[in-house]
Amino acid sequence: MDLPPAPSSDFLAALHTLIDAPPDAGVEYNKIKKDLFHAFHMIPISVNHGLRSIFLRTLRDHIMRWDPTARATVDRVCCTVFQLSFDQMLIRNPRFIAARTPRYVPPPSVLVPAIQKVANTFGNSLDAKTGLPLFSKLAWAKMDAVVDLARQGYLSDMDGVILYEKAGVDKYGLQKYRCMRGTNNVEGGPHSDIYKKFGALHGMFYFFYCLHHSNLQDSRTKINCQLFD
């Protein structure tokens, strides 16, 4: 029995490109999103590597883009009041910029090549002291997992979901914002109380379970009192 001819290399290359291509900008597969804080911490990088900080800042800025409309407004005020551009003010006073300029995470069609570009730029960079690359084999595997999350849309913002709330107007007439991304508001309440009572994150399982259960009861009682106050 004759076997079918093997597929050509051009066909395999086209198929590979099709499979790995990010989805269109308007495609929304699910409403479940990966917390960006945890996505960053998926990548194990040595704290002593000389390029760690600049890599993380670059990755952050490629994933979380400044809102172009707010940026233009802040840039105009900065140029008028401080004689500084947006980028210059960002270097001199990043908190000023962050409080007045929301960020957004672009769709997979933009996000995936951006993350890959950052990874390929920094991944094999050697530390000046140790001579070791920024990424180990494990870090490359985790980076690929982050790219896969981006490709499936788990990192991109959802249309119509408000991630910033207005927090007043400053003396320059600029709108200030409060970020509501992530799970900080959820975890910060009960978990911070556990840290105060327990004093550590490690200990006997049963003792920690009892304390955590008691802490949740305290939180539930407090919320119920607030609701019926």
Side-chain angles (χ1 to χ4, degrees), residues 121-150:
T121 300
F122 288 94
N124 293 318
S125 299
L126 303 180
D127 182 70
K129 292 183 178 179
T130 64
L132 296 176
L134 180 64
F135 283 7
S136 62
K137 290 183 178 180
L138 177 60
W140 276 113
K142 293 296 184 180
M143 191 75 230
D144 290 340
V146 173
V147 172
D148 193 50
L149 288 172

Side-chain angles (χ1 to χ4, degrees), residues 11-86:
F11 172 80
L12 293 177
L15 182 62
H16 182 75
T17 302
L18 179 64
I19 293 175
D20 288 344
D24 295 334
V27 175
E28 187 72 50
Y29 289 105
N30 57 70
K31 300 298 182 181
I32 301 175
K33 297 296 177 180
K34 175 74 172 180
D35 186 278
L36 293 178
F37 175 83
H38 293 101
F40 275 93
H41 281 261
M42 287 175 59
I43 311 169
I45 302 175
S46 172
V47 296
N48 298 318
H49 199 285
L51 292 176
R52 172 187 171 88
S53 296
I54 187 172
F55 162 73
L56 291 176
R57 288 197 299 268
T58 305
L59 182 62
R60 174 202 63 193
D61 292 340
H62 277 71
I63 293 178
M64 304 176 65
R65 316 291 183 91
W66 298 112
D67 179 88
T69 303
R71 174 176 179 146
T73 302
V74 173
D75 180 69
R76 183 169 58 253
V77 172
C78 287
C79 290
T80 302
V81 178
F82 305 105
Q83 287 74 52
L84 296 172
S85 67
F86 181 92

Side-chain angles (χ1 to χ4, degrees), residues 194-195 198-205 207-208:
I194 291 175
Y195 304 153
F198 197 38
L201 295 178
H202 306 283
M204 296 179 62
F205 174 78
F207 176 67
F208 185 79

